[in-house]
Amino acid sequence: MSDFIADLEAELVDAARRRTTRRRRHVARVPRLRPAAVLAVVALAALVVALIAVARGLDNGSRAGDERPSVPPGPGVTLPLPAAQAARACPGVEQRSQRGKVPQSSPLSIFARPRTQQDALPSLDGADSFTWIPAGTIFPGASRRPTPEQFDAELYLVSIAEPRQGGDCDGFLDAVLGVCLVAGSGDAVVKCFSDEEVNAGRAIALTSPGVVHGIAPDGAARVTLHRDGEAVSAGVHENVYEIRVPVAAGDEIRLELERLEECRPSRELLEAVPALRDGAWQTLPAAAGEAMPSAGVRQWARRIETGDELELWAIAHCDSAERACVVPVGGETHEQQLCATAADIRRSGMTWGFPAHGRRAIAGLAPPGTRRVQVVSGGDVHDLSLIGGVFGGLLPPGFAGLNVRFS
């Protein structure tokens, strides 16, 4: 069991015990817990921890190439449209801030990608803490800003535990894990959901007049909102979607999630590109996603460093045929992709040249059994990094050709 899971178990159980031994300042608005309720909270906490442990075991272990993550259940859900609430600070309210920890068990793959500076939560006007996030525990280091260029609003997701019921400062704390959606900055609105609500496709809220935002589980490519015989659809980007539709809080709506099948690397592809055996289900970083849009859907991929300033991503990809792709990311590189079927790779391999960092670079896929990849220019020879059939690197000044030699 990881440190995070152990800490979370202790914190949730301790929270239940504290609620039985003392009243908080707002006790007038929080009902007294009966012994049966306490036992229920502790049991729920233990169940949550057990489920997290199972998820961690799957995510951290070496998954076989033919395994795949779960996809959204059911064709759709019907619910009254909830409204996000204006964010406001809660002075004096206790909140645990797990700054140095990231909940690896989160059901959303957006949290698996590297965090950048723009992912940091915005500051709330007049607030000196994160108590405006209605949760007993917050993981500010796990915040992400999903694909800014895809949305009109400034959006953020942040992992939390113990969401406050009703979003009020003195709301009862639920002993569950969840995620909060923040729309805007300075005068933001916020709505929190449990992981169960996210996985069920029920994480949606009215964030401004005529605009709804929602959180879609992994595997959802598009969302369609039905109301009064009309339907409006929107694409999912890094687990988030935005829909403009004339609705009001409380209106009954129906949501349908369109699932996009994820590519499972076949044994044939894994034999052609051994590097993919050590891959994992994940959402590609933004730079790689520009070359191969994933619509928030995890793909079987592996990040490869070449030893210089070039970063490569090896990806199992499906469209009309199963292919292995290499996406170079770094410096001045214009993100593009090099793809080939297992048959093409076995026959001759694939090589591609492109500019990067003011120099010429090469990336590609070598035929199975290749132990060395070299670039020959005149009488000069340069060795390229080779990992599990994926090769690439920056070329020395003066290397102009693409004479690649496999041995």
Side-chain angles (χ1 to χ4, degrees):
M1 182 176 289
S2 72
D3 291 340
F4 164 71
I5 295 175
D7 290 346
L8 182 60
E9 179 180 22
E11 289 166 4
L12 293 181
V13 173
D14 183 58
R17 288 173 177 168
R18 287 201 308 273
R19 286 195 288 269
T20 68
T21 57
R22 66 182 177 85
R23 291 169 175 254
R24 297 176 64 179
R25 298 178 185 176
H26 53 269
V27 66
R29 297 188 60 182
V30 180
R32 181 188 298 274
L33 291 180
R34 298 178 179 177
V38 174
L39 292 177
V41 170
V42 174
L44 178 60
L47 176 60
V48 170
V49 170
L51 293 174
I52 294 171
V54 173
R56 280 297 306 272
L58 290 175
D59 287 343
N60 286 354
S62 297
R63 290 188 175 190
D66 60 354
E67 291 185 356
R68 56 188 298 176
S70 61
V71 293
V77 295
T78 300
L79 73 161
L81 178 64
Q85 295 176 300
R88 63 187 183 95
C90 296
V93 170
E94 296 180 3
Q95 185 182 69
R96 290 173 295 280
S97 181
Q98 303 288 348
R99 294 184 178 276
K101 300 178 182 179
V102 176
Q104 301 294 327
S105 58
S106 171
L108 302 179
S109 55
I110 184 176
F111 294 118
R113 70 161 170 79
R115 191 168 184 263
T116 65
Q117 185 175 359
Q118 71 175 0
D119 290 323
L121 279 175
S123 298
L124 185 70
D125 291 343
D128 58 0
S129 69
F130 288 115
T131 58
W132 56 274
I133 299 290
T137 301
I138 181 176
F139 301 85
S143 63
R144 296 291 187 274
R145 184 179 179 185
T147 323
E149 62 273 13
Q150 294 292 339
F151 305 109
D152 292 333
E154 188 173 327
L155 303 175
Y156 297 88
L157 296 182
V158 58
S159 288
I160 54 99
E162 301 175 300
R164 295 200 300 261
Q165 288 184 1
D168 297 325
C169 292
D170 54 1
F172 184 84
L173 301 181
D174 282 335
V176 297
L177 294 174
V179 58
C180 293
L181 170 68
V182 178
S185 61
D187 57 349
V189 297
V190 60
K191 180 66 176 177
C192 298
F193 308 93
S194 68
D195 286 351
E196 182 180 357
E197 289 176 308
V198 172
N199 284 327
R202 304 177 66 88
I204 185 173
L206 183 72
T207 54
S208 62
V211 181
V212 299
H213 288 96
I215 307 172
D218 286 351
R222 291 187 65 79
V223 175
T224 300
L225 186 153
H226 298 266
R227 179 182 176 272
D228 292 341
E230 297 183 0
V232 182
S233 298
V236 176
H237 304 278
E238 288 199 302
N239 296 115
V240 176
Y241 58 89
E242 176 181 270
I243 299 177
R244 293 187 173 275
V245 59
V247 291
D251 287 351
E252 185 171 282
I253 61 171
R254 180 172 179 79
L255 289 175
E256 292 183 354
L257 304 180
E258 179 183 336
R259 297 180 293 181
L260 182 62
E261 298 295 332
E262 295 170 322
C263 182
R264 297 174 291 173
S266 66
R267 178 171 300 179
E268 181 184 22
L269 195 67
L270 294 175
E271 290 176 351
V273 186
L276 289 173
R277 295 174 182 168
D278 294 324
W281 291 109
Q282 55 192 300
T283 297
L284 302 181
E290 291 177 6
M292 184 175 290
S294 61
V297 176
R298 294 191 293 182
Q299 300 190 49
W300 188 265
R302 177 184 174 184
R303 178 177 177 270
I304 297 175
E305 295 183 355
T306 63
D308 46 34
E309 299 175 275
L310 188 64
E311 174 185 314
L312 303 177
W313 280 83
I315 305 159
H317 182 60
C318 296
D319 46 23
S320 58
E322 182 190 46
R323 300 179 296 164
C325 300
V326 176
V327 177
V329 177
E332 304 164 7
T333 302
H334 297 288
E335 291 78 11
Q336 301 182 54
Q337 65 185 44
L338 168 69
C339 298
T341 64
D344 291 334
I345 298 169
R346 287 196 305 268
R347 182 168 52 251
S348 59
M350 297 291 289
T351 301
W352 183 45
F354 52 93
H357 299 286
R359 296 161 59 182
R360 191 165 181 78
I362 282 182
L365 299 163
T370 299
R371 296 187 176 184
R372 172 178 290 183
V373 179
Q374 297 176 311
V375 181
V376 180
S377 178
D380 297 323
V381 177
H382 178 70
D383 287 291
L384 295 172
S385 171
L386 174 64
I387 299 177
V390 180
F391 66 88
L394 300 176
L395 298 181
F399 274 68
L402 288 177
N403 185 10
V404 176
R405 183 168 61 194
F406 302 121
S407 60

